Amino acid sequence: MPGLIDPHTHFALSAGYLATHYIGPIDSPGSQGINRGLPTRPEVIGKLREVDRSNSDPTAPLIAWGLDPLSQGGHLHRDELDEMSITRPIWVISYAPHYIYLNSVAIACAKISIDSNVHGVMRYPDGRLNGQFVEFEAGRLAIGAMRDSLAQRGGAEGLRRMGDIARKAGVTTTAENG
């Protein structure tokens, strides 16, 4: 029997996202079951700090997904993420994921030039990169240095998990446009 058609989930990317640290505002599936939502900005910052403190390797990447700036108190920025760590690269991917936020170490890992003129690479009023990367071209730059890690986190297991989530929601047809 036909079910729902999902034309825009990006299963391969989403499989990787679901295997990262979740910081979204609503409860959401993850690799270990349902992740509890974090509705407030202090909870988001607290979770990022907790994840940072829990990893004894101060240079291991921290990748988080799910931020909704509209409902969780606004956008993150480079200086704010640098307050968490100046040795660990931090990538935060928004829920949609049209925004990606990086600290200084992640910007260096991604080899993003301070002179970048790519559309969507955002800046502070003084001209410094503010760690916000908006939409496709800027997001491609921001994710570049951790793309392989994200793909490995998802993998075949992540695709099966995405399929299970879709099936439980009544989705029988999807497309991977990425």
Side-chain angles (χ1 to χ4, degrees):
M1 171 174 262
L4 301 172
I5 298 170
D6 173 7
H8 198 132
T9 295
H10 301 291
F11 273 46
L13 281 175
S14 296
Y17 296 156
L18 291 184
T20 67
H21 300 284
Y22 179 71
I23 58 168
I26 59 174
D27 293 353
S28 183
S31 61
Q32 306 299 317
I34 298 296
N35 294 308
R36 184 181 68 81
L38 306 172
T40 69
R41 187 178 192 86
E43 288 175 289
V44 168
I45 300 301
K47 172 74 174 196
L48 291 171
R49 289 185 187 281
E50 172 190 319
V51 171
D52 175 53
R53 285 191 303 265
S54 71
N55 190 331
S56 61
D57 178 354
T59 63
L62 187 165
I63 306 170
W65 166 77
L67 182 75
D68 179 356
L70 184 61
S71 70
Q72 291 175 294
H75 294 284
L76 297 173
H77 58 88
R78 175 185 187 167
D79 291 345
E80 184 175 31
L81 295 173
D82 282 352
E83 289 175 11
M84 290 176 207
S85 179
I86 56 169
T87 60
R88 176 188 315 285
I90 300 174
W91 281 272
V92 176
I93 304 162
S94 69
Y95 201 90
H98 297 271
Y99 282 84
I100 302 170
Y101 309 92
L102 279 62
N103 71 344
S104 294
V105 181
I107 289 171
C109 288
K111 297 182 172 89
I112 299 168
S113 168
I114 59 172
D115 299 326
S116 176
N117 64 355
V118 170
H119 177 76
V121 175
M122 307 305 284
R123 298 179 181 282
Y124 289 115
D126 67 5
R128 293 182 308 126
L129 299 178
N130 72 3
Q132 297 175 354
F133 298 84
V134 183
E135 293 300 346
F136 184 76
E137 286 303 314
R140 185 179 53 78
L141 286 177
I143 285 185
M146 56 82 112
R147 182 175 285 118
D148 289 343
S149 176
L150 199 57
Q152 289 171 355
R153 290 168 188 253
E157 175 69 26
L159 287 173
R160 279 191 286 281
R161 189 170 30 259
M162 287 300 300
D164 287 343
I165 291 167
R167 190 183 71 254
K168 288 175 184 174
V171 173
T172 60
T173 306
T174 189
E176 174 55 72
N177 296 322

Short mmCIF file of all heavy atoms in Angstrom, two decimals, residues 113-175:
data_model
loop_
_atom_site.label_atom_id
_atom_site.label_comp_id
_atom_site.label_asym_id
_atom_site.label_seq_id
_atom_site.Cartn_x
_atom_site.Cartn_y
_atom_site.Cartn_z
N SER A 113 39.83 30.84 4.87
CA SER A 113 40.65 32.05 4.84
C SER A 113 39.90 33.22 5.49
O SER A 113 38.70 33.39 5.28
CB SER A 113 40.98 32.40 3.39
OG SER A 113 41.52 33.69 3.31
N ILE A 114 40.64 34.04 6.21
CA ILE A 114 40.02 35.24 6.79
C ILE A 114 39.56 36.20 5.70
O ILE A 114 38.72 37.06 5.94
CB ILE A 114 40.98 35.97 7.77
CG1 ILE A 114 42.26 36.41 7.05
CG2 ILE A 114 41.30 35.10 8.95
CD1 ILE A 114 43.15 37.30 7.88
N ASP A 115 40.07 36.02 4.49
CA ASP A 115 39.68 36.87 3.36
C ASP A 115 38.56 36.25 2.52
O ASP A 115 38.25 36.77 1.45
CB ASP A 115 40.89 37.12 2.45
CG ASP A 115 42.00 37.84 3.18
OD1 ASP A 115 41.70 38.68 4.06
OD2 ASP A 115 43.18 37.56 2.91
N SER A 116 37.99 35.15 2.99
CA SER A 116 36.97 34.45 2.20
C SER A 116 35.85 35.40 1.78
O SER A 116 35.36 36.19 2.58
CB SER A 116 36.37 33.30 3.01
OG SER A 116 35.33 32.70 2.27
N ASN A 117 35.49 35.31 0.52
CA ASN A 117 34.37 36.11 0.04
C ASN A 117 33.21 35.22 -0.40
O ASN A 117 32.35 35.64 -1.17
CB ASN A 117 34.81 37.05 -1.10
CG ASN A 117 35.26 36.29 -2.32
OD1 ASN A 117 35.35 35.06 -2.32
ND2 ASN A 117 35.57 37.01 -3.38
N VAL A 118 33.19 33.99 0.10
CA VAL A 118 32.12 33.05 -0.22
C VAL A 118 30.83 33.55 0.42
O VAL A 118 30.81 33.93 1.60
CB VAL A 118 32.47 31.63 0.28
CG1 VAL A 118 31.28 30.69 0.18
CG2 VAL A 118 33.66 31.08 -0.49
N HIS A 119 29.77 33.55 -0.36
CA HIS A 119 28.46 33.98 0.15
C HIS A 119 28.07 33.11 1.35
O HIS A 119 28.14 31.89 1.29
CB HIS A 119 27.40 33.86 -0.94
CG HIS A 119 26.04 34.21 -0.47
ND1 HIS A 119 25.64 35.52 -0.27
CD2 HIS A 119 24.98 33.44 -0.14
CE1 HIS A 119 24.40 35.52 0.16
NE2 HIS A 119 23.97 34.28 0.24
N GLY A 120 27.67 33.74 2.44
CA GLY A 120 27.22 33.03 3.63
C GLY A 120 28.28 32.86 4.70
O GLY A 120 28.00 32.35 5.78
N VAL A 121 29.52 33.26 4.43
CA VAL A 121 30.56 33.26 5.46
C VAL A 121 30.38 34.58 6.20
O VAL A 121 30.64 35.65 5.66
CB VAL A 121 31.97 33.14 4.86
CG1 VAL A 121 33.03 33.28 5.93
CG2 VAL A 121 32.12 31.80 4.12
N MET A 122 29.92 34.49 7.44
CA MET A 122 29.51 35.68 8.18
C MET A 122 30.67 36.26 8.99
O MET A 122 31.63 35.57 9.33
CB MET A 122 28.32 35.35 9.08
CG MET A 122 27.15 34.69 8.34
SD MET A 122 26.56 35.63 6.92
CE MET A 122 25.67 36.90 7.77
N ARG A 123 30.52 37.56 9.34
CA ARG A 123 31.57 38.29 10.05
C ARG A 123 31.01 39.12 11.19
O ARG A 123 29.85 39.52 11.17
CB ARG A 123 32.29 39.22 9.07
CG ARG A 123 32.96 38.47 7.94
CD ARG A 123 33.65 39.41 6.96
NE ARG A 123 34.26 38.65 5.90
CZ ARG A 123 35.41 37.98 6.01
NH1 ARG A 123 36.08 38.02 7.13
NH2 ARG A 123 35.89 37.29 4.98
N TYR A 124 31.87 39.37 12.15
CA TYR A 124 31.56 40.35 13.20
C TYR A 124 31.64 41.75 12.58
O TYR A 124 32.24 41.92 11.52
CB TYR A 124 32.59 40.27 14.34
CG TYR A 124 32.48 39.03 15.21
CD1 TYR A 124 33.50 38.09 15.25
CD2 TYR A 124 31.36 38.83 16.02
CE1 TYR A 124 33.42 36.98 16.06
CE2 TYR A 124 31.28 37.71 16.83
CZ TYR A 124 32.30 36.79 16.85
OH TYR A 124 32.21 35.68 17.65
N PRO A 125 31.09 42.76 13.24
CA PRO A 125 31.19 44.13 12.71
C PRO A 125 32.63 44.58 12.44
O PRO A 125 32.87 45.39 11.55
CB PRO A 125 30.53 44.98 13.79
CG PRO A 125 29.54 44.06 14.43
CD PRO A 125 30.23 42.70 14.42
N ASP A 126 33.60 44.03 13.19
CA ASP A 126 35.00 44.43 12.98
C ASP A 126 35.65 43.71 11.80
O ASP A 126 36.83 43.91 11.51
CB ASP A 126 35.82 44.24 14.26
CG ASP A 126 36.00 42.79 14.66
OD1 ASP A 126 35.56 41.87 13.92
OD2 ASP A 126 36.58 42.56 15.74
N GLY A 127 34.90 42.83 11.12
CA GLY A 127 35.41 42.13 9.94
C GLY A 127 35.92 40.72 10.19
O GLY A 127 36.16 39.98 9.24
N ARG A 128 36.11 40.35 11.46
CA ARG A 128 36.58 38.98 11.75
C ARG A 128 35.49 37.97 11.41
O ARG A 128 34.31 38.25 11.54
CB ARG A 128 36.90 38.82 13.25
CG ARG A 128 38.07 39.60 13.74
CD ARG A 128 38.35 39.34 15.23
NE ARG A 128 37.17 39.53 16.06
CZ ARG A 128 36.68 38.61 16.91
NH1 ARG A 128 37.28 37.46 17.07
NH2 ARG A 128 35.61 38.88 17.64
N LEU A 129 35.91 36.75 11.00
CA LEU A 129 34.95 35.67 10.81
C LEU A 129 34.26 35.40 12.15
O LEU A 129 34.93 35.26 13.17
CB LEU A 129 35.65 34.40 10.33
CG LEU A 129 36.38 34.47 9.00
CD1 LEU A 129 37.07 33.14 8.70
CD2 LEU A 129 35.43 34.84 7.88
N ASN A 130 32.93 35.34 12.15
CA ASN A 130 32.22 35.13 13.42
C ASN A 130 31.84 33.68 13.67
O ASN A 130 31.18 33.36 14.65
CB ASN A 130 30.99 36.04 13.52
CG ASN A 130 29.85 35.63 12.61
OD1 ASN A 130 29.92 34.63 11.91
ND2 ASN A 130 28.79 36.41 12.62
N GLY A 131 32.27 32.78 12.78
CA GLY A 131 32.01 31.36 12.99
C GLY A 131 30.65 30.90 12.51
O GLY A 131 30.29 29.74 12.70
N GLN A 132 29.88 31.76 11.86
CA GLN A 132 28.57 31.40 11.33
C GLN A 132 28.69 31.20 9.82
O GLN A 132 29.20 32.07 9.11
CB GLN A 132 27.54 32.47 11.63
CG GLN A 132 27.29 32.67 13.10
CD GLN A 132 26.35 33.84 13.39
OE1 GLN A 132 25.96 34.58 12.49
NE2 GLN A 132 26.01 34.01 14.65
N PHE A 133 28.20 30.05 9.36
CA PHE A 133 28.26 29.72 7.95
C PHE A 133 26.85 29.38 7.51
O PHE A 133 26.23 28.46 8.04
CB PHE A 133 29.24 28.56 7.72
CG PHE A 133 30.63 28.93 8.13
CD1 PHE A 133 31.03 28.84 9.45
CD2 PHE A 133 31.52 29.44 7.21
CE1 PHE A 133 32.31 29.23 9.84
CE2 PHE A 133 32.80 29.84 7.59
CZ PHE A 133 33.19 29.73 8.91
N VAL A 134 26.33 30.17 6.55
CA VAL A 134 24.92 30.12 6.20
C VAL A 134 24.74 29.59 4.78
O VAL A 134 25.34 30.10 3.84
CB VAL A 134 24.29 31.53 6.31
CG1 VAL A 134 22.80 31.48 6.02
CG2 VAL A 134 24.56 32.14 7.68
N GLU A 135 23.91 28.58 4.66
CA GLU A 135 23.50 27.97 3.40
C GLU A 135 24.62 27.19 2.71
O GLU A 135 25.69 26.98 3.26
CB GLU A 135 22.86 29.01 2.48
CG GLU A 135 21.54 29.53 3.00
CD GLU A 135 20.44 28.48 3.19
OE1 GLU A 135 20.57 27.34 2.69
OE2 GLU A 135 19.44 28.79 3.86
N PHE A 136 24.35 26.75 1.49
CA PHE A 136 25.11 25.69 0.85
C PHE A 136 26.61 25.96 0.68
O PHE A 136 27.43 25.17 1.13
CB PHE A 136 24.48 25.34 -0.50
CG PHE A 136 25.15 24.18 -1.16
CD1 PHE A 136 24.92 22.90 -0.72
CD2 PHE A 136 26.03 24.39 -2.21
CE1 PHE A 136 25.56 21.82 -1.32
CE2 PHE A 136 26.67 23.32 -2.81
CZ PHE A 136 26.43 22.04 -2.36
N GLU A 137 26.98 27.03 0.02
CA GLU A 137 28.40 27.26 -0.28
C GLU A 137 29.22 27.45 0.98
O GLU A 137 30.29 26.87 1.14
CB GLU A 137 28.58 28.44 -1.24
CG GLU A 137 28.19 28.13 -2.66
CD GLU A 137 28.95 26.95 -3.25
OE1 GLU A 137 30.19 26.88 -3.11
OE2 GLU A 137 28.30 26.08 -3.86
N ALA A 138 28.73 28.27 1.89
CA ALA A 138 29.46 28.49 3.15
C ALA A 138 29.45 27.22 3.99
O ALA A 138 30.45 26.87 4.61
CB ALA A 138 28.84 29.66 3.90
N GLY A 139 28.31 26.53 4.01
CA GLY A 139 28.21 25.28 4.76
C GLY A 139 29.16 24.22 4.24
O GLY A 139 29.74 23.45 5.01
N ARG A 140 29.32 24.16 2.93
CA ARG A 140 30.26 23.21 2.32
C ARG A 140 31.68 23.46 2.83
O ARG A 140 32.41 22.53 3.16
CB ARG A 140 30.19 23.34 0.80
CG ARG A 140 31.01 22.33 0.05
CD ARG A 140 30.88 22.50 -1.46
NE ARG A 140 31.16 23.86 -1.92
CZ ARG A 140 32.38 24.37 -2.05
NH1 ARG A 140 33.43 23.65 -1.76
NH2 ARG A 140 32.55 25.60 -2.49
N LEU A 141 32.06 24.73 2.92
CA LEU A 141 33.37 25.07 3.48
C LEU A 141 33.48 24.63 4.94
O LEU A 141 34.47 24.05 5.36
CB LEU A 141 33.61 26.58 3.42
CG LEU A 141 33.91 27.22 2.09
CD1 LEU A 141 34.02 28.73 2.26
CD2 LEU A 141 35.18 26.65 1.49
N ALA A 142 32.44 24.95 5.71
CA ALA A 142 32.47 24.68 7.15
C ALA A 142 32.51 23.19 7.46
O ALA A 142 33.21 22.75 8.36
CB ALA A 142 31.25 25.33 7.81
N ILE A 143 31.78 22.40 6.70
CA ILE A 143 31.71 20.95 6.97
C ILE A 143 32.90 20.22 6.38
O ILE A 143 33.24 19.13 6.81
CB ILE A 143 30.38 20.38 6.45
CG1 ILE A 143 29.27 20.79 7.38
CG2 ILE A 143 30.43 18.87 6.33
CD1 ILE A 143 27.92 20.21 7.07
N GLY A 144 33.58 20.82 5.41
CA GLY A 144 34.65 20.15 4.68
C GLY A 144 35.61 19.33 5.52
O GLY A 144 35.88 18.18 5.21
N ALA A 145 36.12 19.88 6.59
CA ALA A 145 37.14 19.19 7.39
C ALA A 145 36.58 18.06 8.22
O ALA A 145 37.34 17.23 8.71
CB ALA A 145 37.85 20.20 8.30
N MET A 146 35.26 17.98 8.36
CA MET A 146 34.70 16.89 9.17
C MET A 146 33.71 16.04 8.40
O MET A 146 33.05 15.20 8.96
CB MET A 146 34.07 17.44 10.45
CG MET A 146 33.02 18.50 10.25
SD MET A 146 31.42 17.85 9.86
CE MET A 146 30.54 18.26 11.29
N ARG A 147 33.64 16.24 7.08
CA ARG A 147 32.70 15.49 6.24
C ARG A 147 32.91 13.98 6.37
O ARG A 147 31.96 13.22 6.53
CB ARG A 147 32.82 15.92 4.79
CG ARG A 147 31.84 15.22 3.87
CD ARG A 147 31.89 15.73 2.45
NE ARG A 147 31.25 17.04 2.39
CZ ARG A 147 31.87 18.16 2.05
NH1 ARG A 147 33.14 18.16 1.74
NH2 ARG A 147 31.22 19.30 2.01
N ASP A 148 34.17 13.53 6.31
CA ASP A 148 34.44 12.09 6.40
C ASP A 148 34.03 11.54 7.76
O ASP A 148 33.46 10.46 7.85
CB ASP A 148 35.92 11.81 6.15
CG ASP A 148 36.31 12.02 4.69
OD1 ASP A 148 35.40 12.07 3.83
OD2 ASP A 148 37.52 12.15 4.42
N SER A 149 34.32 12.29 8.82
CA SER A 149 33.93 11.86 10.16
C SER A 149 32.42 11.73 10.27
O SER A 149 31.90 10.78 10.85
CB SER A 149 34.45 12.84 11.21
OG SER A 149 34.00 12.49 12.49
N LEU A 150 31.71 12.68 9.71
CA LEU A 150 30.24 12.65 9.74
C LEU A 150 29.72 11.44 8.98
O LEU A 150 28.83 10.73 9.46
CB LEU A 150 29.69 13.95 9.15
CG LEU A 150 28.27 14.33 9.47
CD1 LEU A 150 28.02 14.41 10.96
CD2 LEU A 150 27.91 15.63 8.80
N ALA A 151 30.28 11.16 7.81
CA ALA A 151 29.85 10.01 7.01
C ALA A 151 30.13 8.70 7.74
O ALA A 151 29.29 7.79 7.75
CB ALA A 151 30.54 10.03 5.65
N GLN A 152 31.29 8.61 8.38
CA GLN A 152 31.64 7.39 9.11
C GLN A 152 30.72 7.17 10.31
O GLN A 152 30.38 6.04 10.63
CB GLN A 152 33.09 7.46 9.59
CG GLN A 152 34.09 7.32 8.48
CD GLN A 152 35.50 7.62 8.94
OE1 GLN A 152 35.74 8.01 10.08
NE2 GLN A 152 36.46 7.45 8.04
N ARG A 153 30.31 8.24 10.95
CA ARG A 153 29.41 8.12 12.10
C ARG A 153 28.06 7.54 11.69
O ARG A 153 27.43 6.84 12.45
CB ARG A 153 29.20 9.48 12.77
CG ARG A 153 30.42 10.00 13.49
CD ARG A 153 30.24 11.46 13.86
NE ARG A 153 31.46 12.02 14.38
CZ ARG A 153 31.65 12.30 15.66
NH1 ARG A 153 30.71 12.10 16.53
NH2 ARG A 153 32.79 12.81 16.05
N GLY A 154 27.61 7.89 10.49
CA GLY A 154 26.32 7.40 10.01
C GLY A 154 26.45 6.02 9.42
O GLY A 154 25.99 5.04 9.98
N GLY A 155 27.11 5.92 8.29
CA GLY A 155 27.35 4.65 7.63
C GLY A 155 26.09 3.84 7.37
O GLY A 155 24.96 4.35 7.41
N ALA A 156 26.30 2.55 7.09
CA ALA A 156 25.18 1.66 6.78
C ALA A 156 24.22 1.55 7.97
O ALA A 156 22.99 1.54 7.80
CB ALA A 156 25.70 0.29 6.39
N GLU A 157 24.77 1.50 9.18
CA GLU A 157 23.93 1.42 10.39
C GLU A 157 23.03 2.65 10.49
O GLU A 157 21.84 2.56 10.81
CB GLU A 157 24.81 1.30 11.63
CG GLU A 157 24.05 1.34 12.94
CD GLU A 157 23.19 0.11 13.16
OE1 GLU A 157 23.51 -0.96 12.60
OE2 GLU A 157 22.19 0.23 13.89
N GLY A 158 23.59 3.81 10.21
CA GLY A 158 22.80 5.04 10.26
C GLY A 158 21.71 5.07 9.20
O GLY A 158 20.60 5.55 9.46
N LEU A 159 22.02 4.56 8.00
CA LEU A 159 21.00 4.51 6.95
C LEU A 159 19.86 3.57 7.34
O LEU A 159 18.69 3.85 7.11
CB LEU A 159 21.62 4.09 5.63
CG LEU A 159 22.48 5.14 4.95
CD1 LEU A 159 23.20 4.56 3.74
CD2 LEU A 159 21.65 6.35 4.55
N ARG A 160 20.21 2.44 7.97
CA ARG A 160 19.15 1.53 8.46
C ARG A 160 18.29 2.23 9.52
O ARG A 160 17.07 2.11 9.52
CB ARG A 160 19.77 0.26 9.03
CG ARG A 160 20.15 -0.76 7.97
CD ARG A 160 20.51 -2.11 8.57
NE ARG A 160 21.80 -2.11 9.21
CZ ARG A 160 22.96 -2.20 8.58
NH1 ARG A 160 22.99 -2.30 7.27
NH2 ARG A 160 24.10 -2.19 9.23
N ARG A 161 18.95 2.98 10.39
CA ARG A 161 18.22 3.71 11.44
C ARG A 161 17.28 4.74 10.80
O ARG A 161 16.12 4.87 11.19
CB ARG A 161 19.21 4.38 12.39
CG ARG A 161 18.59 4.98 13.62
CD ARG A 161 19.62 5.43 14.67
NE ARG A 161 20.91 5.88 14.20
CZ ARG A 161 22.03 5.13 14.22
NH1 ARG A 161 22.02 3.92 14.68
NH2 ARG A 161 23.17 5.65 13.79
N MET A 162 17.77 5.45 9.80
CA MET A 162 16.92 6.42 9.10
C MET A 162 15.74 5.72 8.43
O MET A 162 14.62 6.22 8.45
CB MET A 162 17.73 7.19 8.05
CG MET A 162 18.70 8.21 8.63
SD MET A 162 17.91 9.49 9.61
CE MET A 162 16.82 10.22 8.40
N GLY A 163 15.99 4.57 7.83
CA GLY A 163 14.91 3.79 7.21
C GLY A 163 13.87 3.37 8.22
O GLY A 163 12.65 3.45 7.97
N ASP A 164 14.32 2.94 9.41
CA ASP A 164 13.38 2.55 10.47
C ASP A 164 12.54 3.74 10.92
O ASP A 164 11.33 3.61 11.12
CB ASP A 164 14.14 1.98 11.68
CG ASP A 164 14.71 0.61 11.43
OD1 ASP A 164 14.27 -0.06 10.46
OD2 ASP A 164 15.59 0.19 12.21
N ILE A 165 13.18 4.89 11.09
CA ILE A 165 12.46 6.10 11.50
C ILE A 165 11.40 6.45 10.46
O ILE A 165 10.25 6.73 10.79
CB ILE A 165 13.43 7.27 11.73
CG1 ILE A 165 14.31 7.01 12.95
CG2 ILE A 165 12.68 8.59 11.88
CD1 ILE A 165 15.50 7.95 13.08
N ALA A 166 11.79 6.42 9.19
CA ALA A 166 10.86 6.75 8.10
C ALA A 166 9.69 5.77 8.07
O ALA A 166 8.53 6.16 7.98
CB ALA A 166 11.59 6.76 6.77
N ARG A 167 10.01 4.49 8.14
CA ARG A 167 8.96 3.46 8.09
C ARG A 167 7.96 3.63 9.23
O ARG A 167 6.74 3.56 9.02
CB ARG A 167 9.60 2.07 8.12
CG ARG A 167 8.61 0.95 7.83
CD ARG A 167 9.23 -0.43 7.94
NE ARG A 167 9.51 -0.75 9.33
CZ ARG A 167 10.70 -0.77 9.89
NH1 ARG A 167 11.77 -0.49 9.20
NH2 ARG A 167 10.85 -1.06 11.17
N LYS A 168 8.46 3.90 10.43
CA LYS A 168 7.57 4.07 11.59
C LYS A 168 6.68 5.29 11.43
O LYS A 168 5.60 5.36 12.02
CB LYS A 168 8.39 4.17 12.87
CG LYS A 168 9.00 2.86 13.28
CD LYS A 168 9.92 2.99 14.48
CE LYS A 168 10.59 1.68 14.80
NZ LYS A 168 11.59 1.82 15.86
N ALA A 169 7.12 6.26 10.62
CA ALA A 169 6.32 7.46 10.37
C ALA A 169 5.40 7.30 9.17
O ALA A 169 4.67 8.23 8.82
CB ALA A 169 7.23 8.67 10.17
N GLY A 170 5.44 6.13 8.51
CA GLY A 170 4.57 5.89 7.37
C GLY A 170 5.18 6.27 6.03
O GLY A 170 4.51 6.25 5.00
N VAL A 171 6.47 6.61 6.01
CA VAL A 171 7.15 6.97 4.75
C VAL A 171 7.55 5.70 4.03
O VAL A 171 8.21 4.83 4.60
CB VAL A 171 8.39 7.85 5.03
CG1 VAL A 171 9.19 8.08 3.76
CG2 VAL A 171 7.97 9.18 5.64
N THR A 172 7.14 5.59 2.77
CA THR A 172 7.51 4.42 1.96
C THR A 172 8.40 4.78 0.77
O THR A 172 8.97 3.92 0.14
CB THR A 172 6.26 3.69 1.44
OG1 THR A 172 5.50 4.58 0.64
CG2 THR A 172 5.43 3.15 2.60
N THR A 173 8.51 6.07 0.47
CA THR A 173 9.33 6.51 -0.66
C THR A 173 10.10 7.76 -0.26
O THR A 173 9.54 8.67 0.34
CB THR A 173 8.43 6.85 -1.88
OG1 THR A 173 7.61 5.72 -2.17
CG2 THR A 173 9.28 7.21 -3.08
N THR A 174 11.39 7.76 -0.60
CA THR A 174 12.22 8.92 -0.31
C THR A 174 13.25 9.10 -1.42
O THR A 174 13.37 8.23 -2.28
CB THR A 174 12.91 8.79 1.07
OG1 THR A 174 13.54 10.04 1.39
CG2 THR A 174 13.93 7.68 1.09
N ALA A 175 13.96 10.19 -1.40
CA ALA A 175 15.01 10.44 -2.37
C ALA A 175 16.19 11.06 -1.63
O ALA A 175 15.99 11.84 -0.70
CB ALA A 175 14.52 11.40 -3.45
#
